[in-house]
Amino acid sequence: MKKSAYGFYEKRGDYVFRKSAYIQWGESEKSLGSCLLLNPGGAYLIDAQLLEKEGKAEGEITLDPTMKQLVKLIERIYEMKPIEGRLYIYNLFPLQHTKKGEAIRRFTDLVNKKTVSIEESLPSINELRRHPWVLLGWGILSENLTSLNLVKNRWLSHIEEAGVPSFGKLHTNQRDYYHVRPQLAADANELLDELVNLYQENIALKQACIQFTESACFPNIFVPSSYEHLYDLPQGWSISQGNPETIIQGYSHLNVNPTYQLKAYQYYSGGNGNGVIWAIPKNNDFPQPENCETMLNDHFLKPPKPLTALDDYMKAIQGDHTPLSYLQAAIVYHELSEYGAMWHGCSWDRDTIISFEKGDEEDEFMPTIADYLSFQHDWEELKEIPRPLNPHYYLENNLPVIVFYTINDIGQVTLNRYKHTFSPNDYTFKLEKEIIGHAGAGIIF
């Protein structure tokens, strides 16, 4: 697959600064990972005319030897998968220079003259959280300079605050990490092997699966419901008396995008109810159902849709991109999908999320998952024994995935797997639901 590199440059007097850079595989913008190096080296803009004329320019850049080593690393890490996405390249400082010692000296001079800030290379916490990992590889620095130590410490604190896992080959001085491209070309492959092993030990295995207890699936902030006291519901569609945003407010790692608002329509007929949620711009009025020009004729009950509404209300949900935030987003989706449901309109309401919290399966005195499931119901048919049974998070093709299992007793008792594969940049996802077990008759209402 073709690899290209891109960067954004600024020119200030006689100095060139690279403010950002990434290596691209395919068309996707999702992050494959990131790395923190010392400073931009020999890569340059292929078309530099605009930089000379305007002092700022972005576009395709050449691949320098360090970037070529990073290409090899990514293709080793993801060798069993089609590679689609970007490796983002950060630097301790943005001053471009091919010689390390001279670059550090000039950077220090510029900091002392207050021409350059030691923090100008730092991305936002939210930007860092988009990366599955950070490779540390700024090199072994003999210079023990205040400005250089400050910027390293700021970066390490920033990474820790973002909660992004990091790895790199640590030097015996316990301060620096070996540069990803050693000075001797003969050592390049050996270092590459070490970095791949460090990735497997520190990133891949730890990110493989994060399990949650059942309690993590419930709201962890008390928010009084706005939907408990319904009265005089009209027949058919009407604007809901409740506020669906209270659902999101109950989960600590999520919030509604401040430029949007969530609103709901309520359907009511003979004691049965259904609802539909829409995300509309914050300052827009929510029209009465009869004033909506769009009706979803291919959906059950033909719900009304405002013209300004997003197709998927999950696009208006924001979070901190932690594993728990994805679990909370999956739960919020199902809660909102059944907002306003009554009687025959209920389905998710009868789903009970289950988890295995009885102990280690290898402990002969503790029940196995199969035993635990048999305690729940006498399963007539079970396609598989889920492992793990707990709600869990993992990465699949570098996309966040949440899986949990439920028991639902409407009509027939079923064991269900819900798999949510999230998009790389927001909380929309692809949902796959599969019934993997049956256990006789359930309830009819």
Side-chain angles (χ1 to χ4, degrees):
M1 179 177 288
K2 182 179 182 296
K3 283 82 62 178
S4 304
Y6 300 86
F8 174 70
Y9 289 76
E10 285 185 358
K11 190 171 184 182
R12 307 177 201 167
D14 295 330
Y15 298 109
V16 174
F17 298 83
R18 192 178 73 200
K19 305 292 288 183
S20 63
Y22 61 88
I23 304 173
Q24 177 80 52
W25 285 259
E27 302 295 330
S28 175
E29 295 182 7
K30 75 178 182 181
S31 173
L32 298 169
S34 61
C35 60
L36 176 58
L37 308 179
L38 181 66
N39 72 298
Y44 56 86
L45 280 164
I46 293 176
D47 183 0
Q49 292 182 1
L50 187 61
L51 179 63
E52 293 297 327
K53 182 180 178 181
E54 302 290 341
K56 294 182 180 180
E58 61 182 320
E60 188 171 355
I61 62 179
T62 60
L63 287 166
D64 64 18
T66 296
M67 290 181 175
K68 291 177 181 178
Q69 178 81 340
L70 289 169
V71 166
K72 292 179 181 178
L73 176 65
I74 288 293
E75 293 180 348
R76 284 279 303 276
I77 286 175
Y78 297 111
E79 62 181 347
M80 301 303 293
K81 304 172 184 176
I83 302 178
E84 284 278 344
R86 296 174 176 178
L87 174 69
Y88 289 81
I89 301 173
Y90 297 107
N91 298 102
L92 291 180
F93 58 90
L95 176 65
Q96 184 170 35
H97 202 286
T98 56
K99 295 182 179 179
K100 180 180 71 173
E102 183 63 18
I104 293 172
R105 186 188 66 78
R106 292 186 182 184
F107 167 71
T108 303
D109 288 343
L110 291 171
V111 170
N112 291 337
K113 294 175 182 177
K114 298 184 178 180
T115 305
V116 171
S117 166
I118 62 170
E119 294 186 341
E120 72 173 74
S121 67
L122 287 174
S124 68
I125 293 293
N126 285 337
E127 180 180 336
L128 275 180
R129 283 175 174 161
R130 294 184 179 275
H131 305 309
W133 46 263
V134 179
L135 167 62
L136 305 177
W138 55 69
I140 313 305
L141 307 179
S142 57
E143 298 85 350
N144 189 21
L145 302 172
T146 301
S147 56
L148 203 56
N149 290 332
L150 279 174
V151 73
K152 281 194 293 184
N153 291 336
R154 294 284 176 85
W155 260 102
L156 293 174
S157 296
H158 221 52
I159 292 169
E160 183 178 0
E161 184 180 351
V164 182
S166 61
F167 73 103
K169 184 180 178 182
L170 184 64
H171 190 261
T172 53
N173 66 16
Q174 299 297 305
R175 300 188 310 271
D176 296 319
Y177 292 83
Y178 284 89
H179 196 275
V180 296
R181 178 178 170 267
Q183 291 185 340
L184 296 177
D187 297 334
N189 289 334
E190 182 180 346
L191 179 59
L192 199 61
D193 290 339
E194 290 184 77
L195 291 176
V196 170
N197 289 335
L198 287 167
Y199 168 82
Q200 294 294 338
E201 294 170 5
N202 294 280
I203 308 297
L205 292 179
K206 291 181 180 180
Q207 289 186 337
C209 183
I210 296 174
Q211 298 187 43
F212 303 95
T213 61
E214 184 181 349
S215 62
C217 301
F218 293 95
N220 56 355
I221 298 175
F222 175 72
V223 179
S225 173
S226 66
Y227 207 77
E228 291 179 349
H229 307 291
L230 301 178
Y231 55 92
D232 297 330
L233 284 176
Q235 297 290 308
W237 287 105
S238 64
I239 292 179
S240 172
Q241 299 172 15
N243 177 11
E245 291 190 9
T246 59
I247 301 294
I248 294 92
Q249 291 166 7
Y251 294 87
S252 61
H253 290 254
L254 301 176
N255 63 277
V256 178
N257 185 320
T259 63
Y260 283 91
Q261 57 181 327
L262 296 187
K263 293 291 186 179
Y265 290 117
Q266 174 72 52
Y267 183 87
Y268 182 73
S269 178
N272 294 295
N274 291 87
V276 61
I277 306 286
W278 295 114
I280 63 173
K282 185 71 173 180
N283 297 323
N284 282 26
D285 292 330
F286 195 52
Q288 293 291 335
E290 62 270 19
N291 295 331
C292 287
E293 298 180 13
T294 304
M295 307 294 283
L296 302 184
N297 293 323
D298 57 340
H299 285 63
F300 179 58
L301 300 177
K302 299 180 180 180
K305 178 188 177 184
L307 285 176
T308 58
L310 299 177
D311 291 334
D312 186 346
Y313 54 76
M314 294 303 292
K315 291 180 180 178
I317 306 299
Q318 296 179 331
D320 59 14
H321 296 282
T322 56
L324 180 56
S325 76
Y326 288 105
L327 175 64
Q328 291 184 346
I331 300 298
V332 158
Y333 167 81
H334 293 290
E335 292 290 326
L336 290 176
S337 294
E338 202 155 291
Y339 192 78
M342 306 175 201
W343 200 11
H344 291 103
C346 296
S347 175
W348 166 256
D349 183 62
R350 299 297 303 180
D351 272 284
T352 300
I353 296 176
I354 56 176
S355 62
F356 182 70
E357 300 171 28
K358 299 292 184 179
D360 191 334
E361 280 200 275
E362 297 181 0
D363 186 339
E364 60 178 328
F365 299 105
M366 303 301 290
T368 64
I369 288 178
D371 292 333
Y372 177 66
L373 288 173
S374 69
F375 297 155
Q376 305 289 317
H377 290 279
D378 183 14
W379 300 100
E380 299 171 359
E381 178 186 347
L382 199 60
K383 291 183 181 179
E384 62 183 82
I385 304 297
R387 290 186 176 86
L389 184 60
N390 286 10
H392 55 280
Y393 162 96
Y394 60 93
L395 292 176
E396 184 174 88
N397 295 324
N398 205 36
L399 297 177
V401 175
I402 289 290
V403 173
F404 53 70
Y405 296 87
T406 73
I407 293 177
N408 189 297
D409 61 358
I410 296 178
Q412 185 179 34
V413 177
T414 56
L415 177 63
N416 314 285
R417 178 197 293 114
Y418 287 85
K419 179 181 178 182
H420 315 73
T421 303
F422 284 84
S423 302
N425 299 318
D426 58 32
Y427 284 89
T428 61
F429 58 82
K430 175 185 176 184
L431 174 63
E432 299 171 74
K433 179 184 176 183
E434 182 182 6
I435 296 174
I436 62 172
H438 297 85
I443 65 169
I444 298 176
F445 59 84

